[in-house]
């Protein structure tokens, strides 16, 4: 582990350099997942006491299946070997015996790792999980990138010794970073999880969201983009408002009615006169139906139901304006009057 | 200018602007009187009124957005909620459920919906209502189809 500790800061720094464009958030995320990687490694090491041997033995099986990196025992991936076997079976007996012997040897060496796998139950499980995820990642990074990722893993075999796994993972990070940058520069079609694999469970949802801002670097912000900075001028008020601010309504404790203010019609839907600011801020009904004060007054005199939801204003409205005052009061009963007074007492100042 | 006039004028402009928006509805304002409108609506598909074009007459009160327009069928139609002789329509939104937020266009849509979903429990046309209430769907449909063909389809030849 000392080796890895020495290596990781440097690689982390390099990775950070590469990531500068992406901004702090993603860097922090990556850092966190890196930490988790290390924790997972530490845990797995704690489980299997005869650490290095097991790792060495198991890593080819795990990594060989997906990254094609047979490191120790077998010089070739299992598939070609079998082909040799079947071919030799077709030939004459001597060759066949030889080949059989060779096959036995090969088989023995091949069996080596599964045996050690079994002995190292828990540990190997975790290892497999790691490398499996790593392979999955390189696979998921798209067909266009596959070849490059392949070469990267090859280089990794050459340079990085199999006995130091953490370094392998750090390399993976860097490789993934490089891939990621390539990706973001050309196309972002892949389901990109550039961070180390063990963090999948925690970091996955974040990753799902992360490609958004990077993708939108190449494009203009969509008006309903969540990541669109609010400082940008709104393209069209009605389209952009609900998207950029809508998410935060619940936090701000706004009711549906007050939301409606922002998606204002420009003219009164009843009389088709333009709405002035007073009218715009006037929201007589929680259903969010807007109209001018004149129409509201007239409606209250006539039948007193909201045009939007057909509910009686006096029963539904808490934030009723003072506008309808005198005339309506004569018409309504005492109960309503009480309510009205109540609502007037708690109707807020800002609108008037 | 009266609010009703302004509102109707706005609706008129809306109708002119979105003429092709709803191909089932054609609203025409009277040349000399903005309070008189006629509408042509197509019978909804998969109903006995399919293929027919029905003419509606709108008479709009002075207090229009606050009071509903008076609508009646000019074309004969065999429907439980339409008076067979006068063309009067029994529809809640034209009476007590009216809301000033509705427009002539939305009234037309509501009438099309009523054609597709007759309400035999408050009939203006008792014959039609009784047929439906007694479960004689086929009888109602054939009657309605016959009248659609007689009254709402252009004469051939």
């Amino acid at each position: 582990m000392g080796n890895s500790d020495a290596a990781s800061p440097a690689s982390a720094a390099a990775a950070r350099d590469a990531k500068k464009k992406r901004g702090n958030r993603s860097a922090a995320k990556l850092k966190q997942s890196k930490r988790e990687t290390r924790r997972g490694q530490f845990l797995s090491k704690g489980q299997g006491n005869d650490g290095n041997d097991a790792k060495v033995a198991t890593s080819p099986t795990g990594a060989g299946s997906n990254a094609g990196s047979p490191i120790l025992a077998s010089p070739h991936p299992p598939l070609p070997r079998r082909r040799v076997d079947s071919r030799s079976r077709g030939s004459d007996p001597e060759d066949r015996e030889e080949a059989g012997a060779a096959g036995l040897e090969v088989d023995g060496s091949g069996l080596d790792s599964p045996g050690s796998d079994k002995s190292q139950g828990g540990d190997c499980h975790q290892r497999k999980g790691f490398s499996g995820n790593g392979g999955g990642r390189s696979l998921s990074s798209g067909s266009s990138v596959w070849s490059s990722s392949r070469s990267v893993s090859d280089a990794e075999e050459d340079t990085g010794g199999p006995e130091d796994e953490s370094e392998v993972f750090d390399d993976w990070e860097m490789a993934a970073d490089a891939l990621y940058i390539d990706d973001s520069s050309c196309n972002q079609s892949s389901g990109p999880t550039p961070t180390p694999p063990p963090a999948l469970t925690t970091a996955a949802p974040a990753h799902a969201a992360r490609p958004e801002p990077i993708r939108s670097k190449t494009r203009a912000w969509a008006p309903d983009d969540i990541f669109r900075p609010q400082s940008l001028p709104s393209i069209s008020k009605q389209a952009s408002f609900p998207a950029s601010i809508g998410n935060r309504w619940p936090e701000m404790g706004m009711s549906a009615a007050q939301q409606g203010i922002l998606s204002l019609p420009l003219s009164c839907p009843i009389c088709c006169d333009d709405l002035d600011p007073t009218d715009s801020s006037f929201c007589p009904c929680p259903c969010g139906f807007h109209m001018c004060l004149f129409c509201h007054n007239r409606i209250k005199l006539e039948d007193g139901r909201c045009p939007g939801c057909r509910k009686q204003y006096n029963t539904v409205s808490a934030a009723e304006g003072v506008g309808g005052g005198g005339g309506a009061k004569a018409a309504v009963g005492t109960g309503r009057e009480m309510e009205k007074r109540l609502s007037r007492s708690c109707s807020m100042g800002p609108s008037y | 200018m009266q609010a009703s006039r302004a509102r109707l004028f706005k609706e008129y402009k809306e109708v002119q602007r979105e003429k092709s928006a709803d191909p089932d509805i054609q609203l025409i304002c009277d040349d000399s009187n903005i309070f008189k409108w006629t509408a042509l609506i197509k019978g909804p598909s998969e109903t006995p009124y399919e293929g027919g074009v029905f003419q509606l007459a709108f008479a709009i009160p002075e207090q229009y957005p606050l009071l509903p327009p008076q609508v009646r069928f000019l074309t004969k139609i065999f429907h439980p909620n339409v008076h067979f002789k006068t063309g009067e329509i029994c529809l809640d939104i034209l009476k007590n459920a009216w809301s000033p937020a509705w427009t002539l266009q939305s009234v037309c849509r509501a009438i099309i919906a009523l054609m597709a979903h007759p309400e035999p429990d408050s009939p203006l046309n008792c014959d039609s209502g009784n047929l439906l209430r007694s479960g004689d769907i086929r009888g109602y449909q054939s009657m309605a189809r016959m009248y659609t063909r007689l009254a709402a389809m252009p004469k051939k030849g």
Side-chain angles (χ1 to χ4, degrees):
Chain A
M1 261 328 199
N3 191 6
S4 79
D5 283 340
S8 58
S11 61
R16 228 171 285 136
D17 280 346
K19 268 175 285 161
K20 251 170 196 171
K21 279 171 209 161
R22 248 187 286 156
N24 292 331
R25 212 191 318 154
S26 57
K29 238 175 253 163
L30 211 89
K31 222 173 171 181
Q32 190 207 343
S33 48
K34 224 183 274 174
R35 225 173 286 141
E36 271 167 70
T37 317
R38 248 164 244 143
R39 194 170 58 110
Q41 285 167 6
F42 178 72
L43 281 178
S44 69
K45 203 186 175 186
Q47 276 183 7
N49 273 339
D50 34 346
N52 276 346
D53 289 41
K55 267 182 231 159
V56 166
T58 52
S59 58
T61 60
S65 61
N66 34 48
S69 59
I71 303 175
L72 263 196
S74 51
H76 300 291
L79 228 147
R81 201 187 308 149
R82 221 166 283 149
R83 223 182 292 138
V84 167
D85 270 356
S86 60
R87 209 202 317 152
S88 66
R89 227 157 267 163
S91 58
D92 52 341
E94 281 179 22
D95 277 352
R96 191 176 163 183
E97 272 183 21
E98 277 182 14
L104 260 180
E105 272 180 23
V106 170
D107 277 354
S109 66
L111 276 174
D112 222 344
S113 45
S116 59
D117 268 358
K118 270 165 208 161
S119 66
Q120 292 292 333
D123 184 14
C124 115
H125 225 76
Q126 281 220 345
R127 286 285 141 211
K128 264 190 178 166
F130 282 178
S131 46
N133 278 338
R137 177 152 48 88
S138 68
L139 269 175
S140 72
S141 59
S143 55
S144 62
V145 203
W146 170 239
S147 59
S148 67
S149 80
R150 189 62 182 257
S151 67
V152 162
S153 64
D154 285 344
E156 183 183 297
E157 279 165 38
D158 292 340
T159 56
E163 52 285 317
D164 195 350
E165 289 230 318
S166 68
E167 184 160 88
V168 169
F169 279 123
D170 282 340
D171 281 356
W172 256 113
E173 280 175 26
M174 289 177 67
D177 280 344
L179 278 181
Y180 197 81
I181 287 158
D182 279 350
D183 269 6
S184 58
S185 65
C186 54
N187 69 331
Q188 266 282 321
S189 62
S190 58
T193 48
T195 43
L200 270 189
T201 48
T202 54
H207 292 331
R210 201 205 287 176
E212 277 303 310
I214 289 165
R215 192 187 306 163
S216 50
K217 263 182 194 170
T218 57
R219 253 192 259 155
W221 295 102
D224 53 347
D225 200 327
I226 303 167
F227 296 94
R228 189 175 189 273
Q230 286 176 41
S231 54
L232 289 180
S234 60
I235 294 166
S236 73
K237 259 185 192 171
Q238 298 192 351
S240 63
F241 254 130
S244 57
I245 299 185
N247 303 337
R248 250 170 280 148
W249 284 113
E251 296 169 25
M252 292 158 72
M254 294 293 219
S255 69
Q258 282 155 318
Q259 277 186 45
I261 293 175
L262 293 171
S263 55
L264 260 189
L266 293 174
S267 61
C268 171
I270 311 299
C271 65
C272 300
D273 283 340
D274 290 343
L275 290 179
D276 61 22
T278 316
D279 296 329
S280 306
S281 60
F282 173 62
C283 191
C285 180
C287 76
F289 189 85
H290 280 274
M291 71 191 102
C292 70
L293 287 161
F294 295 108
C295 288
H296 176 66
N297 195 20
R298 275 169 58 195
I299 286 169
K300 270 181 34 173
L301 288 173
E302 296 251 339
D303 71 349
R305 288 179 308 173
C306 169
C309 61
R310 294 212 195 92
K311 283 184 187 137
Q312 286 289 331
Y313 271 130
N314 293 311
T315 58
V316 293
S317 68
E320 193 164 21
V322 201
K329 220 187 252 175
V332 293
T334 50
R336 284 184 184 175
E337 214 170 73
M338 282 275 281
E339 271 184 2
K340 186 161 290 174
R341 217 172 286 152
L342 196 81
S343 68
R344 201 184 300 170
S345 63
C346 44
S347 72
M348 326 114 290
S351 55
Y352 293 99
Chain B
M1 195 155 71
Q2 294 163 275
S4 56
R5 222 172 260 277
R7 158 78 181 249
L8 284 170
F9 195 63
K10 180 88 176 253
E11 283 192 40
Y12 177 77
K13 277 196 281 187
E14 197 83 355
V15 164
Q16 297 302 315
R17 192 157 51 88
E18 297 176 4
K19 244 178 187 164
S20 57
D22 198 337
D24 294 341
I25 300 170
Q26 194 182 346
L27 266 169
I28 307 144
C29 180
D30 190 288
D31 287 337
S32 56
N33 188 352
I34 205 170
F35 293 101
K36 298 277 178 212
W37 291 63
T38 53
L40 296 172
I41 58 175
K42 286 184 186 161
S45 59
E46 290 169 28
T47 66
Y49 311 106
E50 184 173 4
V53 176
F54 299 85
Q55 195 174 0
L56 301 170
F58 286 80
I60 291 146
E62 291 274 331
Q63 307 93 320
Y64 160 52
L66 301 183
L67 292 184
Q70 294 167 350
V71 191
R72 62 187 193 93
F73 271 94
L74 292 180
T75 310
K76 276 233 174 312
I77 181 172
F78 186 78
H79 188 284
N81 306 112
V82 181
H83 197 283
F84 191 70
K85 293 226 169 86
T86 64
E88 184 194 344
I89 302 168
C90 177
L91 183 56
D92 59 349
I93 62 134
L94 294 176
K95 311 232 157 62
N96 50 10
W98 168 256
S99 153
W102 286 69
T103 63
L104 299 182
Q105 186 95 13
S106 53
V107 166
C108 289
R109 269 188 219 119
I111 290 170
I112 290 175
L114 179 73
M115 286 164 83
H117 301 279
E119 187 54 69
D121 287 333
S122 59
L124 273 174
N125 181 339
C126 291
D127 295 336
S128 172
N130 286 338
L131 278 175
L132 274 179
R133 273 198 281 190
S134 63
D136 189 358
I137 308 289
R138 199 171 160 191
Y140 152 75
Q141 285 184 340
S142 60
M143 284 288 279
R145 198 171 295 124
M146 184 191 80
Y147 277 107
T148 303
R149 231 171 256 172
L150 280 179
M153 288 192 186
K155 305 276 185 296
K156 280 169 194 163

